Amino acid sequence: MATTTTTDATAEEESDADSALVTARRQLERAAAHVEVDENVIERLRHPTRVERVSVPLKRDDGSLDVFTGYRAQHDDVRGPYKGGLRYHPEVTEDECIGLSMWMTWKCAVMDIPFGGGKGGVAVDPKGLSETEKERLTRRFAEEIRDVVGPKQDVPAPDMGTDAQTMAWFMDAYSMQEGETVPGVVTGKPPVVGGSYGREESPGRSVAIVTREAVDYYDWDLSETTVAVQGFGSVGANAACALDDWGANVVAVSDVNGAIYDPDGLDTRAVPTHEEEPEAVMSHDAPQKLSNEEILELDVDVLIPAAVGNALTADNVDDVRADLVVEGANGPTTFAADAILEERGIPVVPDILANAGGVTVSYFEWLQDINRRQWSLERVHDELESQMLSAWADVREEFEARDVTWRDAAYVVALRRVAEAKSTRGLWP
């Protein structure tokens, strides 16, 4: 009896249908159907240019030695140096880094900034590290990937489990080996060592800006719009606070332990953020306490999943009652869930547009480092507002002209720009 075999690609999709890499490739192929791009360019963009895998030994405070695995995926640099975060998380994998680096390529292209996509990290639980251990891990990781990063080559930034201090250590370790201070090797640093004012809150601020514009697009009154935010970390807290400041009615927020809900609206400035007091949302006084799953099911106008990837899946998306989803986290909606939301007529504004404020202000920081001239917070906010409105207008134009989803429209904008750059530069040799 004859047997059949499953190709590696098919097996990958069947066994890991919701991985960042599989989702990113599916989204690429779907977008390619809406724009005329050479199929050879599409095939090239399905694969990263390079993936660096390194061992990162760490001497623990007690004198023992652990060895962790680190990665740096570099997807495409046709429009400029690779750009993307470094995360410390126990579930960091090579495929995750590749998928996230692809999203960074599209994110930079949607924003029309001169970077390509990169992503990396170390498979480690940062909660299990002391401050000195985290510093030693960061400095050793910087040394291990030093040959593939640099201000003109690949520029990392903070991500899950890392922060401004991590970037300062990384920059210092790199600079020590280069024999000169090189602030532009990373972004997201503290302003005192070349960082930009407004960088930390920029992803959340851009989510708020895009939410405000989407609410206006659908002719809703922002002051009468109810918003639920899953995740009250850097992105979610800043998005919630900005929307609250602008008049929206933020009725629910959550952290890893659960959610608080007040149908009359929360005072978001009074709720402790993860940075201020980790896992303290549930300690805030509120009429109702919910689970992280229940916040996704609230009957609100806008749902902002800003916690982790794969928050909305085929298993729970039917319970979503929001009229609009704005993605704050990277990849919070699986491919299957996205299709179901589309069938239900619930628009989804994608992460590659909504949370692109982070990479946009990283670009501003990179410019400041190159020119050795720091911008004021007011200028950063003004420039971010201008850049986000320009990107929103570009995506809205495709959304209306092609009668596609917001995600498809954003991908069309990004893919067309990347493809045009590849066509103009050509293939060498």
Side-chain angles (χ1 to χ4, degrees), residues 368-425:
Q368 293 169 70
D369 288 337
I370 289 173
N371 292 293
R372 295 294 201 269
R373 182 164 185 172
Q374 197 166 53
W375 297 0
S376 67
L377 179 60
E378 181 181 8
R379 180 178 177 183
V380 171
H381 282 173
D382 288 346
E383 295 274 0
L384 176 61
E385 176 90 7
S386 175
Q387 200 91 13
M388 293 307 305
L389 292 181
S390 177
W392 169 259
D394 291 339
V395 173
R396 185 187 62 215
E397 181 179 346
E398 295 295 342
F399 176 77
E400 294 174 341
R402 297 176 183 270
D403 190 26
V404 294
T405 66
W406 287 105
R407 191 183 310 280
D408 287 338
Y411 267 78
V412 165
V413 171
L415 187 54
R416 189 174 58 222
R417 286 172 176 163
V418 173
E420 184 179 357
K422 285 191 173 295
S423 175
T424 302
R425 286 185 58 167

Side-chain angles (χ1 to χ4, degrees), residues 167-184:
M167 295 303 103
W169 291 329
F170 192 104
M171 184 271 284
D172 183 69
Y174 181 88
S175 297
M176 292 294 287
Q177 295 296 334
E178 292 295 304
E180 61 177 317
T181 299
V182 189

Side-chain angles (χ1 to χ4, degrees), residues 250-272:
V250 180
V251 297
V253 299
S254 74
D255 63 15
V256 67
N257 293 321
I260 54 175
Y261 173 56
D262 185 343
D264 294 326
L266 296 166
D267 178 2
T268 58
R269 295 287 179 183
V271 182

Side-chain angles (χ1 to χ4, degrees), residues 79 107-115 202 205-206 209-210 212-213 352-354 356-364 367 375 379-395 413 417:
R79 288 170 47 86
K107 190 176 292 187
C108 293
V110 165
M111 297 307 301
D112 204 16
I113 55 180
F115 287 133
S202 57
R205 190 172 183 86
S206 69
I209 292 170
V210 169
R212 182 194 68 202
E213 295 306 304
I352 63 170
L353 172 63
V359 73
T360 303
V361 177
S362 278
Y363 170 54
F364 299 162
L367 290 176
W375 297 0
R379 180 178 177 183
V380 171
H381 282 173
D382 288 346
E383 295 274 0
L384 176 61
E385 176 90 7
S386 175
Q387 200 91 13
M388 293 307 305
L389 292 181
S390 177
W392 169 259
D394 291 339
V395 173
V413 171
R417 286 172 176 163

